[in-house]
Amino acid sequence: MKTRIAIIGAGVVGASIARVLSQYEGLEVHLIERNVDAGMGVSKANTGIIHPGHEDDPEKHPLRAKLCVEGNRLWYQWTKELRIPAKWPGELMVALEEEDIKVAEYYLELAQKNGVPGVRLVDREELLRLEPNVNPNAAGALWAPTAGVMSSPMAAVALTENAVDNGVKFHPETEVRGIKVENGEVKGVETNRGFIEADIVINAAGLYADRISAMAGIDHFTIRPRKGEYYIFDDDAGPKVRRIVHQTPTPTTKGVYVITEMNDGVMIGPTAEDLPEEAKDDTSTTREGLEFVWEMAKKLVKGLPPRSRVIRTFAGLRPEPPDGRWIIEAYDDPWGFINVAGIRSPGLTAAPAIAHYVAEELIKGKLDVKLTKKSRWNPYRNAFWFKALPREKQAELVKENPSHGRVICMCRTITEGDILDAIARMKKMGVRTITLDGVKLRTGVTGGTCQGSFCRVRIANIIARETGVPLWKVSIKGEGTEYGIGDIKVLLRGEEE
Amino acid sequence: MRSEYDVVVIGGGPAGLAAAIKAKELGLNVLLIESREFLGGIPMQCVHPGFGIHYFKEDLTGTEFIHRIIERFRELDIEYYTNAHVLEVAPYSYRHKILRIVTEEGLFEVAAKTVIYAAGARERHMFEIGITGHRVAGIYTAGEAQTMMDIYGVMPGKEIVIVGSGDVGLIMARRFTLEGAKVKAVIELMPYPGGLTRNVVQCLEDFGIPLYLSHAVTRVEGKRRVERVIVTKVDEKLRPIPGTEESIECDTVVLAAGLVPYLKVIEKAGVEIDPVTRGPVVNSYLETSVPGIFVAGNALVINDLVDYVVEQGEEAAMGAYEFVKNGGLPALKWRKLVKGRNIRLAVPHYLADTKDVTIYARVGEPEENVRLRFPEIGKEIRLPFVKPSEMIRVKLKREEIARAKDRITMEVVRDE
Ligand SMILES: Cc1cc2nc3c(=O)[nH]c(=O)nc-3n(C[C@H](O)[C@H](O)[C@H](O)COP(=O)(O)OP(=O)(O)OC[C@H]3O[C@@H](n4cnc5c(N)ncnc54)[C@H](O)[C@@H]3O)c2cc1C
Ligand SMILES: Cc1cc2nc3c(=O)[nH]c(=O)nc-3n(C[C@H](O)[C@H](O)[C@H](O)COP(=O)(O)OP(=O)(O)OC[C@H]3O[C@@H](n4cnc5c(N)ncnc54)[C@H](O)[C@@H]3O)c2cc1C
């Protein structure tokens, strides 16, 4: 008999769990997501840092501290297997004033306790060698060489794609509205697309994990949104930073980061602003938030690229549990229900470790499900970018299929072939609505200098052609976000939609 | 594709087409590369008139105008590729640049003695003009909206707020209205409209569309699609004044907030950039700081009129011709063009007395009854008015340039 598992939420956490579970025999895994695609929640908009693991006190948050260090290690391998762009420049926690060195020393102690490799204090001289663009008046820094940066928007889709390749069923545009519990055991989830039977239900619903948990009768916590706002500069705008740079945390602020993203653009942010519980959708930027980020970043580095080279501002929401404690638990009542809730930062870092923990400690340990590795499991995802290929390979591809020779996104050099490949992979993964954002997550189109004003219409046109929807109906991120309102004469005909 | 050309033109808009035509007429062998699936550039999406008044002495629509140029281009049998993209221009030696080009037919590397870069401009988007709020559907740049409507036949929205009252914003306001949409307002940061008075009258006043001067759209709100914008008054320093916020309901925001030269490809080749024009620094042959790379059209400086763009294309072609003929431009005594009072930008940056030169400039402030002066060469021109939105075009004769030693100042002075 197969064990049926329903995972609610295809963020980086839910998708990591799906991937880990796809390694085992005898499981029927369903990954349920209410958005049109994976990774469109918290996991889409964050700093994208793979933290080294010295920011959590193992006495206060033992699980978080442990899973972060482990997650960091796992991502080395996972990013390669899944072809998620990542790099490992290391991180500097900068002590701007002499007295901040004490704070850095405290984090050094945590690094030792958590077993983070390579962490040490550096003086001003070495700091400036490691990061020539840092504020030259800084007193010193804590250097953590294992820190990395990854393309976080790409993570959940890559994980999901790989999970599906290994037998997981992905259910996009499927909203969980209830959890069926009988005789103290979970039986499955009610969704807008019908009932999905399950012996185990895993709640990885991000900002909404409190609501899902309450559906299973566990309602002792609420998740509050904490906003973080950012700027991204153009990829060819400098000065840049080589390392991940941030400031020693103070009681009032954790400070902002200055990093050079995977796409080579400098990114600065985030703020940390607590919002009321109802504001779980409010990913708007604000003038105050952005000004704060600007001022903080200016203290941290010698030079920022000019404001005229900002190509994007955005905000993300952290799912904050009470006391900052991650709620990763399996319950006796209802039996079979697992919360993976309140996964605030460093949840991206820890996701692979969280997934193993859920499989081994909770599913195998607590719920006593036998986990046997499949003899054949494919760890790889076959994604490629035309521009990243060697020239001979590019030439071959164009010869095979001319669409690889048509550059659609000029700022990022993304070809029609890349876009068609992404669409094909979306269809294979089970995405129902091919959206502009879905193509953006997978290829990087519209993320460059022009932010889509040259190419968005051409991409929409390719989607229309490949899916048979009219061009105006191609959506940016699902229902209500259609690209246009109809053909050009729709208003003159006086039709009401 | 052959492996070596006298000139490779990057961009098949009016500047690139004009450059290719002229270069071919001068006897050079020419290759033109265009990224999109058709030649023509921006005018292909402009169904309104206002094109070619100087060049053809006729008021044409953008499509009519470009049709004539493309006809001429075809007559000359110039080699070109559409759906082709220049990835890289690498200076190989003083006389050669290697271009990496990707097309549907394969990847090519060609050598060129000269390159004319005419890739046009990009539009400024909401993030660089400080608009905060939600990132929702229903936000377009003017060019994107225009392409949707006039090339692909899609209507972007029905209740529209336009940001920017330059000619592009004004023309789009009229265009939307004619398609049955309601343009709720045009919002302009400056205390005066950015476009021609004629366009303010014909595109806004005739249709009763309100124009908000000294106002900025500071925020966009909505859940899935735009639901409203927040508009704020600004002070003399163009900063929003707190407490003056006003909300306008709409489902669409169209940004016509200016253009920036699109230099992606040649920036990497190392051309020096003027921080004010945001285009390359050029001499009077429109040659950049990399020998043999010339630039024309909106990639050089944002032009109001397509006629100037075509003129620059031809000028760049003549520069390329000189380069090819002589194996490089000769060493000359260059005079720096210095920006004096109320001159915000001016190109070319360096002038020599080997030929007459056309200068394109913009002022910083609107003024009436002024003189445009070049003190070092004793030249003065009376102008009834100057406006930042209207480019100044003046010709300096070679004899005039020869009168200056090492610099030529250009300034606007009040007429006493
Ligand atoms: C500003 C900011 C900066 C951060 N920086 C970092 C960092 O640098 N490094 C790091 O390690 N971490 C960082 N994090 C934390 C990290 O982003 C999160 O911990 C992680 O993305 C959480 O993933 P998740 O899968 O739990 O949530 P999500 O990605 O939100 O996934 C939950 C999914 O559940 C779906 N869902 C919700 N309700 C339902 C329902 N009823 N039915 C079906 N589906 C549903 C949602 O649509 C969503 O897709 C940051 C977070 C923020 C906001
Ligand atoms: C809404 C609007 C209204 C206008 N109205 C008027 C008017 O009434 N009268 C008037 O005179 N002017 C008007 N103009 C201005 C006029 O259209 C421009 O001045 C003119 O198009 C600029 O020409 P260009 O050749 O420099 O650039 P573009 O027309 O932008 O052409 C550049 C070309 O280069 C291509 N390209 C870019 N990068 C590459 C690369 N790496 N490889 C290959 N190809 C590349 C692009 O695809 C494009 O086709 C208007 C413009 C707009 C947007």
Side-chain angles (χ1 to χ4, degrees), chain A residues 9 11 13 33 42-43 46 49 176 230 317-318 343 346-349:
Chain A
V13 172
E33 171 57 54
V42 178
S43 304
N46 56 43
I49 295 172
V176 171
Y230 300 86
L317 295 174
R318 305 170 183 85
I343 308 300
L348 173 70
T349 307

Side-chain angles (χ1 to χ4, degrees), chain A residues 13-60:
Chain A
V13 172
S16 290
I17 296 172
R19 179 177 195 241
V20 165
L21 294 180
S22 76
Q23 301 179 48
Y24 298 109
E25 275 174 15
L27 305 180
E28 179 188 300
V29 182
H30 298 269
L31 180 60
I32 304 165
E33 171 57 54
R34 69 170 182 190
N35 281 325
V36 286
D37 208 329
M40 296 179 101
V42 178
S43 304
K44 182 177 165 188
N46 56 43
T47 324
I49 295 172
I50 309 176
H51 288 286
H54 59 274
E55 292 196 30
D56 280 312
D57 184 344
E59 265 132 55
K60 257 186 30 224

Side-chain angles (χ1 to χ4, degrees), chain A residues 276-447:
Chain A
E277 212 218 308
E278 330 67 80
K280 283 178 175 174
D281 290 325
D282 182 11
T283 54
S284 67
T285 54
T286 65
R287 184 168 290 269
E288 301 73 35
L290 291 172
E291 273 317 306
F292 174 83
V293 167
W294 193 270
E295 290 309 316
M296 292 291 283
K298 247 177 31 192
K299 279 192 216 153
L300 202 53
V301 292
K302 217 162 37 182
L304 287 171
R307 259 189 214 248
S308 60
R309 306 301 301 274
V310 169
I311 58 167
R312 197 166 182 80
T313 55
F314 69 95
L317 295 174
R318 305 170 183 85
E320 282 293 323
D323 312 322
R325 196 179 73 87
W326 285 352
I327 302 161
I328 310 181
E329 275 165 67
Y331 299 86
D332 293 326
D333 186 18
W335 183 260
F337 185 71
I338 295 176
N339 262 331
V340 190
I343 308 300
R344 46 95 96 190
S345 197
L348 173 70
T349 307
I354 292 174
H356 280 293
Y357 180 85
V358 168
E360 282 133 39
E361 303 294 325
L362 304 183
I363 296 178
K364 184 169 159 223
K366 166 101 187 184
L367 299 179
D368 203 21
V369 176
K370 199 158 164 271
L371 293 182
T372 322
K373 285 252 168 90
K374 287 176 183 166
S375 55
R376 286 156 74 98
W377 177 72
N378 176 16
Y380 302 108
R381 187 177 75 110
N382 257 334
F384 67 89
W385 286 267
F386 180 83
K387 68 170 164 188
L389 297 171
R391 286 188 205 174
E392 312 76 65
K393 189 80 195 133
Q394 289 182 337
E396 234 173 74
L397 266 180
V398 176
K399 208 167 270 158
E400 266 167 41
N401 183 346
S403 72
H404 288 292
R406 281 195 285 274
V407 173
I408 303 291
C409 170
M410 294 201 292
C411 304
R412 289 260 158 100
T413 322
I414 314 283
T415 69
E416 183 170 335
D418 292 324
I419 294 165
L420 292 175
D421 175 59
I423 294 173
R425 285 190 285 115
M426 287 164 91
K427 287 182 176 168
K428 188 162 167 253
M429 184 173 121
V431 172
R432 290 187 167 86
T433 310
I434 308 292
T435 57
L436 281 156
D437 268 9
V439 173
K440 176 179 179 176
L441 287 186
R442 287 165 180 83
T443 59
V445 286
T446 76

Side-chain angles (χ1 to χ4, degrees), chain A residues 235 283-285 311-313 315 391 395 406 411 449 453-454 456 458 477 479 483 485-486 488-489, chain B residues 35 37 87 104 107 109 121 125 127 132-133 135 139-141 144 152-153 155 158 179 219 224 262 264:
Chain A
D235 48 20
T283 54
S284 67
T285 54
I311 58 167
R312 197 166 182 80
T313 55
R391 286 188 205 174
R406 281 195 285 274
C411 304
T449 317
S453 52
F454 283 132
R456 188 161 68 158
R458 299 175 74 191
K477 51 185 162 199
E479 219 184 312
Y483 187 47
I485 58 166
I488 188 79
K489 300 296 171 199
Chain B
S35 273
E37 48 275 52
L87 293 173
E104 298 168 288
L107 287 126
E109 257 184 28
H125 46 69
F127 303 108
T132 61
R135 297 165 302 283
I139 304 170
Y140 312 88
T141 61
E144 182 182 14
Y152 294 96
M155 190 66 195
K158 54 181 169 192
E179 290 300 344
R219 196 173 160 80
R224 308 288 290 167
Y262 188 70
K264 276 270 155 202

